[in-house]
Amino acid sequence: MTPIESADALFLAGDLDAAAGAYRRLVAADHRNQAAWRGLGAARLRARAFGEASDALDRAVHLQPNDGEAWMLRAEALFKLGDVEPAIGAYRRAAEDVTLRAAAEENIAIMIPGSALAGNAGVLAARRIFGRRLHAGVGPVERPPRPPSAGKLRIGYVSAFFDSANWMKPVYGVINRHDRERFEVHLVSLGGDPSEQAGYRDHDLDVIWQVGSLDDGRIAALLAAAGIDVLVDLNSYSAPRWLPLFLRRPAPVQIGWFNSFATYGFDCFDGIVGDDVVIPMAEEAYFAERVLRVRGTYLAFEVLYAVPDVAPPPCCRNDGTLTFGALTSSYKLNDTTLGVWARVLRSAPGARMLIRASTLSEPSNRDHLLARFAALGIARERLDIEGGATHFEFLRSYDRIDIALDMFPYSGGTTTSEALWQGVPVLTCAGDRWVARTSESLLRAAGLDAWVAADQEDLVAKASALARDPATHATLAVLRADMRARLAASAACDTAGLCRALEQIYRQAVG
């Protein structure tokens, strides 16, 4: 067995550290060993060391520019680091290999809403390309006569994430409030199941489908036989493997809600639920679906699990020094976002920033982020970079944040609702597409319009003014003290109203 074969064998056996060591010895002996650079990148990628993986795979594609597999691996590493535009470019290079084109186009379709360069037209185009490929060979399932239902409308909610309490705040707020006299509720679980711990309040008449082990064709046939009237997708592109289920048309009405953030790009959905903020009338042309709007916010939420108490703002105990922060997924840490944050910090010399994401536990990922900030003129000493924790402890991080800064163009949804519930205002700006306006939707519904800047320039100006104003600590203390009461009384937490609005949408869609 050759040295490269031995290293590959370690990798295939799952001994990632040993494999990485073997690959490192090979590249130390020969810096032009492309297979070893690619192997090192693959091993570090699987170990979630995305910074080191990206560097190794950069060497691999420079040594062999036609290596589509190396481009695919590099794209994944770049995306996980927040280097979204280079990641999309790498996937496009990988797509030049016809055997990799389908996978590359799927990944582009997943990440395209978060591309600062794409815009609405680019998002629709990328998702239509993926949709046409996905549709090939998938036809509608036969729908037998509808079984009796005592006049009730059968609603099926489809999710691979029913067990994610923090993510399901809007979903369970609605599902728990459905009128069971008029609606028969089916929860189609493709992953973790609904539970009290996740926020679901069990109802005797609800039907929970535990079908994640079945293929989409079999699930479609079962749903069709059950006579589901309205099938509601809660996954969108967070679980693209299940999108063919909807191409099979198991229900006469199919609607996307909750996790969409952009058009699906294909025609099997009869509607997509948003609100006036996230989908202005002028942008309906960029949707393959009919846009269905609710009043307030389409993400009205209810916290149904244990969270920390709201703490006073840290600036009150830090001599007025302001700490900005973001607890987010690292794939949102793109160049636009870091550029805005760096401008905020440069305009407020005494301020600090706390950034926390699960991937930042790994040293090469932290180093990569710090290097990007250094290139923007922000010293390491002004940044607190931290990794993941249990969700309760993760939320405790807001005890050390005065003001949360949003991400651009991929704004917060769960992140924003969690920050607000912990008493921390979120500073955002009006965006150019749905995914860039989710925070705005929540903030306006909460009556926090003053925290929505007109644009990025205005956001930097607002942040700078807050950091320099001696009265900010008192303003934040008052805001923080009554934030939960304010939210509970606002449209941001009116899940009962959102439930009634969705029920009306479902009734009207069935006709």
Side-chain angles (χ1 to χ4, degrees):
M1 187 178 290
T2 66
I4 190 67
E5 289 173 339
S6 297
D8 290 344
L10 290 168
F11 175 73
L12 292 173
D15 194 343
L16 300 180
D17 289 340
Y23 289 127
R24 289 191 189 103
R25 288 190 292 275
L26 287 169
V27 299
D30 179 5
H31 280 251
R32 297 191 59 79
N33 188 332
Q34 194 269 351
W37 281 117
R38 186 175 74 170
L40 176 59
R44 299 308 288 152
L45 179 64
R46 189 177 293 181
R48 299 181 60 79
F50 304 119
E52 189 178 354
S54 174
D55 291 342
L57 291 161
D58 182 54
R59 297 292 295 266
V61 296
H62 276 87
L63 287 168
Q64 192 169 324
N66 295 326
D67 185 347
E69 292 282 358
W71 281 111
M72 286 286 287
L73 295 168
R74 177 159 164 72
E76 182 180 351
L78 288 166
F79 178 64
K80 293 295 178 60
L81 292 165
D83 292 330
V84 176
E85 312 305 339
I88 290 174
Y91 276 126
R92 286 182 172 141
R93 286 296 302 269
E96 294 173 9
D97 182 337
V98 67
T99 65
L100 301 173
R101 187 168 299 158
E105 289 176 351
E106 176 178 337
N107 282 292
I108 291 171
I110 291 169
M111 67 176 64
I112 197 72
S115 165
L117 302 179
N120 283 304
V123 173
L124 177 60
R127 291 196 159 177
R128 282 208 179 280
I129 289 170
F130 171 64
R132 284 194 294 270
R133 184 180 297 279
L134 195 68
H135 203 289
V138 178
V141 69
E142 180 181 353
R143 292 201 296 265
R146 181 182 185 273
S149 64
K152 295 182 182 181
L153 203 67
R154 291 194 177 99
I155 310 299
Y157 289 98
V158 180
S159 178
F161 308 100
F162 277 127
D163 60 335
S164 298
N166 60 314
W167 208 13
M168 290 281 116
K169 290 189 287 292
V171 173
Y172 285 135
V174 166
I175 288 174
N176 291 337
R177 284 177 166 76
H178 268 312
D179 180 357
R180 265 64 181 188
E181 296 296 319
R182 298 192 304 134
F183 294 89
E184 182 179 301
V185 177
H186 295 247
L187 305 184
V188 184
S189 178
L190 305 172
D193 294 327
S195 68
E196 183 178 355
Q197 292 73 27
Y200 171 63
R201 296 174 187 157
D202 194 16
H203 292 265
D204 291 341
L205 299 178
D206 290 359
V207 181
I208 297 178
W209 300 59
Q210 297 169 310
V211 291
S213 62
L214 304 180
D215 62 53
D216 58 88
R218 179 60 179 152
I219 297 169
L222 291 170
L223 292 172
I228 302 296
D229 297 300
V230 181
L231 196 62
V232 184
D233 179 40
L234 304 175
N235 292 325
S236 189
Y237 280 76
S238 290
R241 63 168 288 201
W242 295 111
L243 288 173
L245 169 62
F246 294 88
L247 292 172
R248 297 185 185 280
R249 273 283 184 182
V253 175
Q254 301 187 153
I255 291 174
W257 169 57
F258 168 59
N259 197 40
S260 301
F261 305 129
T263 182
Y264 286 84
F266 38 95
D267 303 327
C268 64
F269 286 94
D270 303 289
I272 192 165
V273 177
D275 58 50
D276 287 329
V277 171
V278 295
I279 314 177
M281 292 285 291
E283 294 181 13
E284 289 192 7
Y286 300 108
F287 285 81
E289 314 83 5
R290 180 187 176 197
V291 174
L292 306 168
R293 293 181 180 83
V294 297
R295 297 185 64 179
T297 177
Y298 77 106
L299 283 181
F301 67 92
E302 182 176 9
V303 178
L304 298 166
Y305 53 93
V307 296
D309 292 335
V310 174
C315 62
C316 291
R317 60 181 184 272
N318 292 340
D319 300 322
T321 299
L322 212 61
T323 300
F324 295 102
L327 310 186
T328 186
S329 300
S330 57
Y331 60 78
K332 295 187 179 184
L333 302 178
N334 58 40
D335 288 344
T336 301
T337 295
L338 297 194
V340 172
W341 293 354
R343 289 169 61 197
V344 167
L345 291 172
R346 289 197 301 267
S347 72
R352 299 183 56 78
M353 185 156 190
L354 167 62
I355 303 169
R356 193 163 195 182
S358 60
T359 59
L360 296 175
S361 300
E362 200 283 323
S364 77
N365 300 340
R366 288 197 305 273
D367 290 345
H368 182 86
L369 181 59
L370 288 165
R372 293 168 71 195
F373 270 113
L376 295 167
I378 304 302
R380 175 185 296 251
E381 292 73 25
R382 299 187 65 191
L383 301 166
D384 295 308
I385 308 295
E386 300 178 9
T390 64
H391 192 64
F392 192 91
E393 289 303 315
F394 195 72
L395 292 177
R396 280 193 191 276
S397 304
Y398 285 113
D399 296 0
R400 295 181 284 136
I401 295 172
D402 292 295
I403 297 171
L405 296 181
D406 206 0
M407 292 68 64
F408 316 96
Y410 203 147
S411 68
T414 297
T415 303
T416 295
S417 63
E418 287 182 341
L420 295 177
W421 196 251
Q422 292 306 125
V424 179
V426 179
L427 193 53
T428 190
C429 66
D432 66 344
R433 69 197 79 173
W434 180 347
V435 78
R437 302 188 188 109
T438 311
S439 290
E440 180 184 358
S441 173
L442 287 162
L443 287 165
R444 293 198 186 281
L448 295 168
D449 301 66
W451 294 88
V452 181
D455 52 31
Q456 292 173 12
E457 293 287 338
D458 187 34
L459 184 148
V460 174
K462 284 179 179 290
S464 177
L466 287 163
R468 296 171 185 273
D469 186 351
T472 294
H473 70 283
T475 301
L476 291 176
V478 171
L479 181 64
R480 204 147 168 152
D482 73 349
M483 182 72 89
R484 286 186 179 173
R486 171 198 288 266
L487 291 170
S490 75
C493 291
D494 184 13
T495 53
L498 178 57
C499 179
R500 300 288 87 79
L502 288 171
E503 288 180 345
Q504 183 177 5
I505 284 172
Y506 300 157
R507 283 284 183 194
Q508 291 176 344
V510 170

